[in-house]
Structures are given as structure tokens and as C-alpha cells.
Amino acid sequence: MTDCRTMLAALRRPRLLMRAARFGLAEYRRDRDLRRYVGGTASPEDTVTSLMSVEARLEATRIAGDATYSVARHIEVLIALLAEAQVLRRLA
């Protein structure tokens, strides 16, 4: 768990991305949304780890200026990541 928390604490993204993700937290539904980003519903720790790798790929694409970058997808993944981190904190 500490590894996930350390990675989350070190996460630095543009303010607008994080603000949009926090705004979307109210609409997040784990059973509906999580399947799109990680295979299935696993433990919150495994899910956070998987979402971190998905988000890291999106961030690398954003920084590279690649035309395939989708800001909407990046926000959706950040929403899922923030929501799963909340679940992880509640369980700790």
C-alpha cells in the first residue's frame, strides 16, 4: 500500500486536468467505469497500480505532443484514479 500512496503523492499534473478530474468524481461509478481502463474489478491497491500505468502512458503521450492524445480519456482515467485512491484511503 505504501508504494501506491507514494506514487499518488508524487503525481504532478497540470492544474486544469486535476481540476476537471476532481469535478468528475461525483459522477464516477466503479462498477460502470472501471472496466474501460483496467480488465476487471480487483482490489483497490491493484486497481490503483493499473490505473497509474495507464495514466503514465497518457501523460507521456501528452508531453510528446502526439496527435493521438485524448484529453477526455486522460481526465476519465484521472477520475478513476482519484476515486480508487479514495477507496484505498478508506480501507487503510
Side-chain angles (χ1 to χ4, degrees):
M1 255 190 237
T2 319
D3 190 43
C4 290
R5 289 182 181 177
T6 304
M7 291 187 322
L8 285 169
L11 189 68
R12 299 286 181 253
R13 298 297 178 255
R15 184 177 299 173
L16 188 58
L17 273 177
M18 294 307 292
R19 202 166 167 201
R22 281 189 211 100
F23 185 75
L25 276 174
E27 299 299 318
Y28 178 77
R29 300 292 173 263
R30 188 175 206 259
D31 57 331
R32 177 192 66 197
D33 299 329
L34 194 57
R35 287 187 298 240
R36 291 186 289 194
Y37 314 114
V38 293
T41 55
S43 71
E45 186 174 346
D46 293 339
T47 303
V48 167
T49 304
S50 297
L51 286 169
M52 289 291 289
S53 65
V54 170
E55 195 280 331
R57 286 192 301 270
L58 286 166
E59 180 66 7
T61 305
R62 181 187 73 81
I63 290 173
D66 195 334
T68 61
Y69 174 71
S70 169
V71 69
R73 177 132 174 107
H74 200 166
I75 291 170
E76 290 172 351
V77 170
L78 283 170
I79 290 168
L81 183 59
L82 291 175
E84 293 300 313
Q86 285 178 347
V87 171
L88 191 60
R89 270 183 251 134
R90 275 187 243 131
L91 294 176

